Coordinates of all heavy atoms in Angstrom, one line a residue:
M238 N 32.4 -194.9 17.8 CA 32.4 -194.9 16.3 C 33.4 -196.0 15.9 O 34.5 -196.2 16.4 CB 33.0 -193.5 15.8 CG 33.4 -193.6 14.4 SD 32.7 -192.9 13.0 CE 32.0 -191.5 12.8
K239 N 32.9 -196.8 14.9 CA 33.7 -198.0 14.5 C 34.9 -197.5 13.7 O 34.8 -196.4 13.0 CB 32.9 -198.9 13.7 CG 31.8 -199.6 14.5 CD 31.1 -200.7 13.6 CE 30.2 -201.5 14.5 NZ 29.6 -202.7 13.8
S240 N 35.9 -198.3 13.6 CA 37.0 -198.0 12.7 C 37.5 -199.3 12.1 O 37.2 -200.4 12.7 CB 38.2 -197.3 13.4 OG 38.7 -198.1 14.4
L241 N 38.1 -199.2 11.0 CA 38.6 -200.4 10.3 C 39.9 -200.9 10.9 O 40.9 -200.2 11.1 CB 38.8 -200.1 8.8 CG 39.2 -201.3 8.0 CD1 38.0 -202.2 7.8 CD2 39.7 -200.9 6.6
V242 N 39.9 -202.2 11.3 CA 41.0 -202.8 11.9 C 41.5 -203.9 11.0 O 40.8 -204.7 10.5 CB 40.6 -203.4 13.3 CG1 41.8 -204.1 14.0 CG2 40.1 -202.3 14.2
V243 N 42.8 -203.9 10.8 CA 43.5 -205.0 10.0 C 44.0 -206.1 11.0 O 44.9 -205.8 11.8 CB 44.6 -204.4 9.2 CG1 45.3 -205.5 8.3 CG2 44.2 -203.3 8.3
K244 N 43.4 -207.3 10.8 CA 43.8 -208.4 11.7 C 44.9 -209.1 11.0 O 44.7 -210.1 10.2 CB 42.6 -209.3 11.9 CG 41.4 -208.6 12.5 CD 41.5 -208.4 14.0 CE 40.2 -207.9 14.5 NZ 40.2 -207.7 16.0
T245 N 46.1 -208.7 11.2 CA 47.3 -209.2 10.5 C 47.4 -210.7 10.7 O 47.9 -211.4 9.8 CB 48.6 -208.5 10.8 OG1 48.7 -208.5 12.2 CG2 48.5 -207.1 10.3
A246 N 47.0 -211.2 11.8 CA 47.2 -212.7 12.1 C 46.2 -213.5 11.2 O 46.5 -214.7 11.0 CB 46.9 -213.0 13.6
H247 N 45.2 -212.9 10.7 CA 44.2 -213.6 9.8 C 44.7 -213.6 8.4 O 44.2 -214.4 7.6 CB 42.8 -213.0 9.9 CG 42.1 -213.2 11.2 ND1 40.8 -213.3 11.3 CD2 42.6 -213.4 12.4 CE1 40.4 -213.5 12.5 NE2 41.5 -213.6 13.3
C248 N 45.6 -212.7 8.1 CA 46.0 -212.6 6.7 C 47.2 -213.5 6.4 O 48.3 -213.4 7.1 CB 46.4 -211.1 6.4 SG 47.0 -210.8 4.7
P249 N 47.2 -214.3 5.4 CA 48.3 -215.2 5.1 C 49.5 -214.4 4.5 O 50.6 -214.9 4.5 CB 47.8 -216.2 4.0 CG 46.5 -215.6 3.5 CD 46.0 -214.6 4.5
Q250 N 49.3 -213.2 4.1 CA 50.4 -212.3 3.6 C 51.3 -212.9 2.6 O 52.5 -212.9 2.7 CB 51.2 -211.8 4.9 CG 50.3 -211.2 5.9 CD 51.0 -210.4 7.0 OE1 51.6 -209.3 6.7 NE2 51.0 -210.8 8.2
N251 N 50.6 -213.6 1.6 CA 51.4 -214.3 0.6 C 50.8 -214.0 -0.8 O 51.0 -214.8 -1.7 CB 51.4 -215.8 0.8 CG 50.0 -216.4 0.8 OD1 49.0 -215.7 0.6 ND2 50.0 -217.7 1.1
H252 N 50.0 -212.9 -0.9 CA 49.3 -212.6 -2.2 C 49.0 -211.1 -2.3 O 48.9 -210.4 -1.3 CB 48.0 -213.4 -2.3 CG 47.1 -213.1 -1.1 ND1 47.3 -213.6 0.2 CD2 46.0 -212.3 -1.1 CE1 46.3 -213.1 0.9 NE2 45.5 -212.3 0.2
P253 N 48.7 -210.6 -3.5 CA 48.2 -209.3 -3.7 C 46.8 -209.2 -3.0 O 46.0 -210.0 -3.3 CB 48.2 -209.0 -5.2 CG 49.0 -210.1 -5.8 CD 48.9 -211.3 -4.8
C254 N 46.6 -208.3 -2.1 CA 45.3 -208.2 -1.4 C 44.2 -207.7 -2.3 O 44.3 -206.6 -2.9 CB 45.5 -207.1 -0.3 SG 43.9 -206.8 0.6
P255 N 43.2 -208.6 -2.5 CA 42.1 -208.2 -3.4 C 41.3 -207.1 -2.9 O 40.7 -206.3 -3.7 CB 41.3 -209.5 -3.5 CG 41.6 -210.3 -2.3 CD 43.0 -209.9 -1.9
S256 N 41.2 -206.9 -1.6 CA 40.4 -205.8 -1.1 C 40.9 -204.4 -1.4 O 40.2 -203.4 -1.4 CB 40.3 -205.9 0.4 OG 39.6 -207.1 0.8
V257 N 42.2 -204.3 -1.7 CA 42.8 -203.0 -2.1 C 42.0 -202.5 -3.3 O 41.8 -201.3 -3.4 CB 44.3 -203.2 -2.4 CG1 44.9 -201.9 -3.1 CG2 45.1 -203.5 -1.2
E258 N 41.7 -203.4 -4.2 CA 41.0 -202.9 -5.5 C 39.5 -202.5 -5.3 O 39.0 -201.8 -6.1 CB 41.0 -204.1 -6.5 CG 42.4 -204.6 -6.8 CD 43.3 -203.5 -7.5 OE1 42.8 -202.7 -8.2 OE2 44.5 -203.5 -7.2
V259 N 38.9 -203.0 -4.2 CA 37.5 -202.8 -4.1 C 37.2 -201.5 -3.3 O 36.1 -201.0 -3.3 CB 36.7 -203.9 -3.4 CG1 36.8 -205.2 -4.2 CG2 37.1 -204.2 -2.0
C260 N 38.2 -201.0 -2.6 CA 38.0 -199.8 -1.8 C 37.7 -198.6 -2.7 O 38.5 -198.3 -3.6 CB 39.2 -199.5 -0.9 SG 39.0 -197.9 0.0
P261 N 36.5 -197.9 -2.5 CA 36.1 -196.9 -3.4 C 36.9 -195.6 -3.3 O 36.8 -194.7 -4.1 CB 34.6 -196.6 -3.1 CG 34.5 -197.1 -1.7 CD 35.5 -198.2 -1.5
V262 N 37.6 -195.5 -2.2 CA 38.3 -194.2 -1.9 C 39.9 -194.4 -1.8 O 40.6 -193.4 -1.5 CB 37.8 -193.5 -0.6 CG1 36.4 -193.1 -0.7 CG2 38.0 -194.4 0.6
G263 N 40.4 -195.5 -2.2 CA 41.8 -195.8 -2.2 C 42.4 -195.7 -0.8 O 43.6 -195.3 -0.7
A264 N 41.7 -196.1 0.2 CA 42.2 -196.1 1.6 C 43.1 -197.2 1.9 O 43.9 -197.1 2.9 CB 41.1 -196.0 2.6
L265 N 43.1 -198.3 1.1 CA 44.0 -199.4 1.4 C 45.2 -199.5 0.5 O 45.1 -199.2 -0.7 CB 43.2 -200.7 1.2 CG 42.0 -201.0 2.2 CD1 41.3 -202.2 1.8 CD2 42.6 -201.2 3.6
T266 N 46.3 -199.7 1.1 CA 47.6 -199.9 0.3 C 48.3 -201.1 0.9 O 48.0 -201.6 2.0 CB 48.5 -198.6 0.5 OG1 48.7 -198.4 1.9 CG2 47.9 -197.4 -0.1
Q267 N 49.1 -201.7 0.0 CA 49.8 -202.9 0.4 C 51.3 -202.8 0.0 O 51.6 -202.4 -1.1 CB 49.2 -204.1 -0.3 CG 49.8 -205.4 0.2 CD 49.2 -206.6 -0.6 OE1 48.7 -206.5 -1.7 NE2 49.2 -207.8 0.1
K268 N 52.2 -203.1 0.9 CA 53.6 -203.1 0.6 C 54.0 -204.6 0.4 O 53.8 -205.4 1.4 CB 54.4 -202.5 1.8 CG 54.2 -201.1 2.0 CD 55.2 -200.5 3.0 CE 54.9 -199.0 3.3 NZ 54.3 -198.8 4.6
G269 N 54.4 -204.9 -0.7 CA 54.7 -206.3 -1.0 C 53.5 -207.2 -0.8 O 52.4 -206.8 -1.2
F270 N 53.7 -208.3 -0.1 CA 52.5 -209.1 0.2 C 52.1 -209.0 1.6 O 51.4 -209.9 2.2 CB 52.8 -210.6 -0.1 CG 52.8 -210.9 -1.6 CD1 53.3 -212.1 -2.1 CD2 52.3 -210.0 -2.6 CE1 53.3 -212.5 -3.4 CE2 52.3 -210.3 -3.9 CZ 52.8 -211.5 -4.3
H271 N 52.5 -208.0 2.3 CA 52.1 -207.8 3.7 C 50.6 -207.5 3.8 O 50.0 -207.2 2.8 CB 52.9 -206.6 4.3 CG 54.3 -206.8 4.5 ND1 54.8 -207.7 5.4 CD2 55.4 -206.2 3.8 CE1 56.2 -207.6 5.3 NE2 56.5 -206.8 4.4
A272 N 50.1 -207.7 5.0 CA 48.7 -207.3 5.2 C 48.5 -205.8 4.8 O 49.5 -205.0 5.0 CB 48.3 -207.5 6.6
P273 N 47.4 -205.4 4.3 CA 47.2 -204.0 3.8 C 47.2 -203.0 5.0 O 46.9 -203.4 6.1 CB 45.9 -204.1 3.1 CG 45.1 -205.2 3.7 CD 46.2 -206.2 4.0
D274 N 47.6 -201.8 4.7 CA 47.5 -200.7 5.6 C 46.2 -199.9 5.2 O 45.9 -199.8 4.1 CB 48.7 -199.8 5.5 CG 50.0 -200.5 5.9 OD1 50.0 -201.1 7.0 OD2 51.0 -200.5 5.2
V275 N 45.6 -199.3 6.3 CA 44.4 -198.5 6.0 C 44.7 -197.0 6.4 O 45.3 -196.8 7.4 CB 43.2 -199.0 6.8 CG1 43.4 -199.1 8.3 CG2 42.0 -198.1 6.5
D276 N 44.4 -196.1 5.5 CA 44.5 -194.7 5.8 C 43.2 -194.2 6.4 O 42.2 -194.1 5.7 CB 44.8 -193.9 4.5 CG 45.1 -192.4 4.7 OD1 44.6 -191.9 5.8 OD2 45.6 -191.8 3.9
M277 N 43.2 -194.1 7.7 CA 41.9 -193.7 8.3 C 41.4 -192.3 8.0 O 40.2 -192.0 8.2 CB 42.1 -193.9 9.9 CG 42.2 -195.3 10.4 SD 41.0 -196.5 9.7 CE 39.5 -195.7 10.3
N278 N 42.3 -191.5 7.4 CA 41.8 -190.2 7.0 C 41.0 -190.3 5.7 O 40.2 -189.4 5.3 CB 43.0 -189.3 6.7 CG 43.6 -188.9 8.1 OD1 43.0 -188.7 9.1 ND2 45.0 -188.9 8.1
K279 N 41.2 -191.4 4.9 CA 40.5 -191.6 3.7 C 39.3 -192.6 3.9 O 38.2 -192.4 3.2 CB 41.4 -192.2 2.6 CG 42.4 -191.3 2.1 CD 43.2 -192.0 0.9 CE 44.2 -191.1 0.3 NZ 45.1 -191.9 -0.6
C280 N 39.4 -193.5 4.8 CA 38.4 -194.6 4.9 C 37.0 -194.0 5.3 O 36.9 -193.2 6.3 CB 38.8 -195.6 6.0 SG 37.6 -196.9 6.3
I281 N 36.0 -194.3 4.6 CA 34.6 -193.9 4.9 C 33.8 -195.0 5.6 O 32.6 -194.9 5.8 CB 33.9 -193.4 3.6 CG1 33.8 -194.5 2.6 CG2 34.6 -192.1 3.1 CD1 33.0 -194.2 1.4
K282 N 34.5 -196.1 6.0 CA 33.9 -197.2 6.8 C 32.7 -197.8 6.0 O 31.6 -198.1 6.6 CB 33.5 -196.7 8.2 CG 34.7 -196.1 8.9 CD 34.3 -195.5 10.2 CE 35.4 -194.8 10.9 NZ 35.9 -193.6 10.3
C283 N 32.8 -198.0 4.7 CA 31.7 -198.5 3.9 C 31.5 -200.0 4.1 O 30.5 -200.5 3.8 CB 31.9 -198.1 2.5 SG 33.3 -199.0 1.7
G284 N 32.6 -200.7 4.5 CA 32.5 -202.1 4.7 C 32.8 -203.0 3.5 O 32.7 -204.2 3.6
K285 N 33.0 -202.4 2.3 CA 33.3 -203.2 1.1 C 34.4 -204.2 1.3 O 34.3 -205.3 1.0 CB 33.5 -202.3 -0.1 CG 32.2 -201.7 -0.6 CD 32.3 -201.0 -1.9 CE 31.0 -200.4 -2.3 NZ 31.1 -199.5 -3.5
C286 N 35.5 -203.7 1.8 CA 36.7 -204.5 2.0 C 36.4 -205.6 3.0 O 36.9 -206.7 2.9 CB 37.9 -203.7 2.4 SG 37.7 -202.8 4.0
V287 N 35.6 -205.3 4.0 CA 35.3 -206.2 5.1 C 34.6 -207.4 4.5 O 34.9 -208.6 4.8 CB 34.4 -205.5 6.2 CG1 33.9 -206.6 7.2 CG2 35.2 -204.4 6.9
N288 N 33.6 -207.2 3.6 CA 32.9 -208.2 3.0 C 33.7 -209.0 1.9 O 33.4 -210.1 1.6 CB 31.6 -207.6 2.3 CG 30.6 -207.1 3.4 OD1 30.5 -207.6 4.5 ND2 29.9 -206.0 3.0
Y289 N 34.7 -208.3 1.4 CA 35.4 -208.9 0.3 C 36.6 -209.9 0.8 O 36.8 -210.8 0.1 CB 36.0 -207.8 -0.5 CG 36.3 -208.2 -2.0 CD1 35.2 -208.3 -2.8 CD2 37.5 -208.4 -2.5 CE1 35.4 -208.7 -4.2 CE2 37.8 -208.7 -3.8 CZ 36.7 -208.9 -4.6 OH 36.9 -209.2 -5.9
C290 N 37.1 -209.6 1.9 CA 38.3 -210.4 2.4 C 37.8 -211.7 2.9 O 37.1 -211.8 3.8 CB 39.0 -209.7 3.5 SG 40.3 -210.7 4.2
P291 N 38.2 -212.8 2.2 CA 37.7 -214.2 2.6 C 38.3 -214.6 3.9 O 37.7 -215.5 4.5 CB 38.1 -215.1 1.4 CG 39.3 -214.4 0.8 CD 39.1 -212.9 1.0
M292 N 39.4 -214.0 4.3 CA 40.0 -214.4 5.6 C 39.5 -213.6 6.8 O 40.0 -213.9 7.9 CB 41.5 -214.2 5.4 CG 42.2 -215.0 4.3 SD 41.8 -216.7 4.3 CE 42.8 -217.2 5.7
R293 N 38.6 -212.7 6.5 CA 38.1 -211.8 7.6 C 39.2 -211.1 8.3 O 39.2 -210.9 9.5 CB 37.3 -212.7 8.6 CG 36.2 -213.5 8.0 CD 34.8 -212.9 8.3 NE 33.8 -213.5 7.4 CZ 32.9 -214.3 7.9 NH1 32.9 -214.7 9.1 NH2 32.0 -214.8 7.0
A294 N 40.2 -210.7 7.5 CA 41.3 -209.9 8.1 C 41.0 -208.4 8.2 O 41.8 -207.7 8.9 CB 42.5 -210.1 7.2
L295 N 39.9 -208.0 7.6 CA 39.5 -206.6 7.7 C 38.2 -206.5 8.4 O 37.2 -207.2 8.0 CB 39.4 -206.0 6.3 CG 40.7 -206.0 5.5 CD1 40.4 -205.8 4.0 CD2 41.6 -204.8 6.0
V296 N 38.2 -205.8 9.5 CA 37.0 -205.8 10.4 C 36.7 -204.4 10.8 O 37.5 -203.6 11.2 CB 37.3 -206.6 11.7 CG1 36.1 -206.7 12.6 CG2 37.8 -208.0 11.3
L297 N 35.4 -204.0 10.8 CA 34.9 -202.8 11.4 C 34.5 -203.1 12.8 O 33.6 -203.8 13.0 CB 33.7 -202.2 10.5 CG 34.1 -201.5 9.3 CD1 32.8 -201.2 8.5 CD2 34.8 -200.2 9.5
E298 N 35.2 -202.5 13.7 CA 34.8 -202.7 15.1 C 35.1 -201.5 16.0 O 35.7 -200.5 15.5 CB 35.6 -203.9 15.7 CG 37.1 -203.7 15.7 CD 37.8 -204.9 16.3 OE1 37.3 -206.0 16.2 OE2 38.9 -204.7 16.8
Ligands
SF4_503 S1 35.8 -199.7 4.8 FE1 35.4 -199.0 2.7 S2 36.5 -197.0 2.6 FE2 37.3 -198.1 4.4 S3 39.1 -199.2 3.6 FE3 37.4 -200.6 3.5 S4 36.6 -200.4 1.4 FE4 37.9 -198.6 1.8

């Protein structure tokens, strides 16, 4: 079963993460400008954030 992985090395970590806003279940949170954290208990693996992040920092694998 796939799970959402945050590739922190791909994230410039210098901006509000736009993918936080597209998650339909509020599974993504961000502290400051750090790479976002994913709550795997909430994530339904829909892939919206994966498609939205231009840096490909969010991956279902
Ligand atoms: S895969 Fe979907 S449910 Fe999971 S964190 Fe990304 S947008 Fe939210």
Side-chain angles (χ1 to χ4, degrees):
M238 164 107 43
K239 291 186 173 189
S240 64
L241 185 72
V242 178
V243 181
K244 305 280 187 182
T245 53
H247 289 208
C248 177
Q250 306 196 67
N251 62 3
H252 59 284
C254 175
S256 292
V257 170
E258 303 297 326
V259 303
C260 177
V262 295
L265 290 173
T266 54
Q267 185 182 28
K268 293 189 185 104
F270 285 170
H271 291 292
D274 295 310
V275 56
D276 182 342
M277 290 310 300
N278 292 321
K279 288 185 181 173
C280 178
I281 57 173
K282 304 173 183 74
C283 69
K285 285 189 178 169
C286 61
V287 174
N288 293 326
Y289 207 71
C290 174
M292 303 305 290
R293 306 253 167 109
L295 297 161
V296 183
L297 280 171
E298 63 179 25

